[in-house]
Amino acid sequence: MTTEIKVSTWQAELAVDCRCTLGEGPQWDANHQRLYWCDILEKQLHWLAPATGESGHHQLDHMVSLAAPLDGGGLLLVGEDRLSRFDPVNAAVERFCDFETDNPVTRSNDARIDRHGSLWLSTMGKKAEKGAGSLYRLHRGKLTLLLSGLTIPNAICFSEDGEFAWFTDTATGVVMRWTLDSEGWPQGEPQSWADFSTTLGNPDGAVVDSEGCIWLALWGAGQVARLNQDGHVIGLIELPVSQPSCPAFAGADLEMLYITTAQEGFSDEQLAQEPSAGSLYVVETGVKGLAELPLRLV
């Protein structure tokens, strides 16, 4: 962090006391005004209707890390070894395609829809095995490998003009920026953009706001940092729990920032100190989110 830049601060408040083991993948469904997020390890898909406060969850038969709104309705579940269509009205699941089915070590992790309505998704080892993870792009129904040899791929997000993608390998502590072509495909090698390797907390999930800044969860630090276009921290959200995993903007005007958290790996003593760990938090920062496109499969 730099001392030359004024850093704004906010306090996050409890939104849904769901206490997920590994809360992840918050995603706003604008058409149905619902926020979805996952408890990866408990195989659950959670939801919240911010306008009414109503919430609930669906129990699934496999680990899922994101539910992406589809162009035309329904959701696409990013699962541990498959992508599936999901109808939240009747909880019907229809398998769309498989990936890494020959590798029982891995599961899906971070994912986000890009500025072309395509989906970037990652895999990692179920025990965070070094180098077991990969980064993919699902473009018009075809899944393409972008990068392999990663340990915990995270922080997938995109600039509004589609010029850049960001991601991190959490184990390295470094957020990378990748130049994209006019169709959203990476060009050249990703470049180091923001280094958290010597600070408290590891970079996890991230989202871009309407002003072009990135909100980055810092796992272990109990914070979400706001970074400007140069990768400098200009804001910090403080949470009462230590393991925030990913932020996402939601609400009718994308004015609320929701943050998933986790209690994965906690001892009984840690759970006693952080009883609401794994729950969904929210903060109104005065900055609006950047609307994301629904996922296009054709």
Side-chain angles (χ1 to χ4, degrees), residues 2-284:
T2 176
T3 58
E4 299 175 359
I5 298 176
K6 182 180 178 181
V7 177
S8 302
T9 58
W10 302 268
Q11 295 290 328
E13 299 179 352
L14 185 65
V16 180
D17 191 9
C18 50
R19 307 193 185 192
C20 297
T21 302
L22 180 53
E24 259 290 7
Q27 176 69 55
W28 178 239
D29 182 351
N31 285 338
H32 298 93
Q33 295 290 291
R34 272 191 176 189
L35 178 74
Y36 289 98
W37 71 100
C38 305
D39 185 340
I40 296 177
L41 299 182
E42 301 302 328
K43 304 177 182 179
Q44 293 175 345
L45 175 64
H46 290 256
W47 60 270
L48 168 69
T52 64
E54 186 181 6
S55 64
H57 74 270
H58 301 280
Q59 187 65 50
L60 305 170
D61 65 357
H62 64 290
M63 289 188 285
V64 168
S65 57
L66 185 87
L70 284 165
D71 183 30
L75 305 168
L76 188 78
L77 302 181
V78 180
E80 58 185 289
D81 60 358
R82 74 201 78 166
L83 302 175
S84 305
R85 292 177 182 267
F86 181 74
D87 183 348
V89 175
N90 56 27
V93 180
E94 178 188 354
R95 207 172 187 120
F96 176 73
C97 74
D98 297 331
F99 62 91
E100 298 194 8
T101 53
D102 59 345
N103 187 356
V105 169
T106 60
R107 64 161 172 85
S108 66
N109 195 46
D110 196 39
R112 191 170 292 282
I113 300 169
D114 69 16
R115 307 308 298 166
H116 298 267
S118 300
L119 182 71
W120 288 43
L121 61 106
S122 68
T123 60
M124 63 173 282
K126 293 174 183 174
K127 297 181 180 179
E129 290 86 347
K130 185 176 181 180
S134 297
L135 186 61
Y136 296 86
R137 188 187 190 209
L138 179 71
H139 180 67
R140 306 302 181 256
K142 181 181 178 181
L143 194 63
T144 300
L145 176 66
L146 301 178
L147 195 62
S148 58
L150 303 170
T151 299
I152 309 176
N154 266 313
I156 300 170
C157 57
F158 308 92
S159 61
E160 183 174 13
D161 59 10
E163 184 179 357
F164 298 111
W166 287 268
F167 72 94
T168 188
D169 186 341
T170 295
T172 69
V174 179
V175 180
M176 310 296 288
R177 189 175 73 173
W178 216 347
T179 300
L180 307 178
D181 67 15
S182 60
E183 298 298 322
W185 293 103
Q187 301 295 296
E189 296 296 322
Q191 304 297 314
S192 175
W193 183 74
D195 191 343
F196 290 85
S197 61
T198 61
T199 64
L200 177 65
N202 299 103
D204 205 307
V207 69
V208 177
D209 66 29
S210 60
E211 298 176 3
C213 296
I214 290 179
W215 298 81
L216 175 71
L218 296 175
W219 178 278
Q223 296 176 327
V224 174
R226 187 186 189 211
L227 284 69
N228 64 16
Q229 288 88 342
D230 296 320
H232 297 142
V233 174
I234 59 172
L236 284 172
I237 298 171
E238 301 286 348
L239 292 95
V241 294
S242 59
Q243 293 184 165
S245 54
C246 191
F249 288 95
D253 297 316
L254 298 177
E255 74 284 5
M256 307 302 291
L257 187 70
Y258 287 88
I259 305 161
T260 51
T261 68
Q263 55 179 253
E264 181 186 18
F266 272 17
S267 64
D268 291 341
E269 182 181 1
Q270 286 173 300
L271 280 173
Q273 293 172 346
E274 301 180 24
S276 61
S279 296
L280 184 72
Y281 285 82
V282 65
V283 60
E284 187 172 6

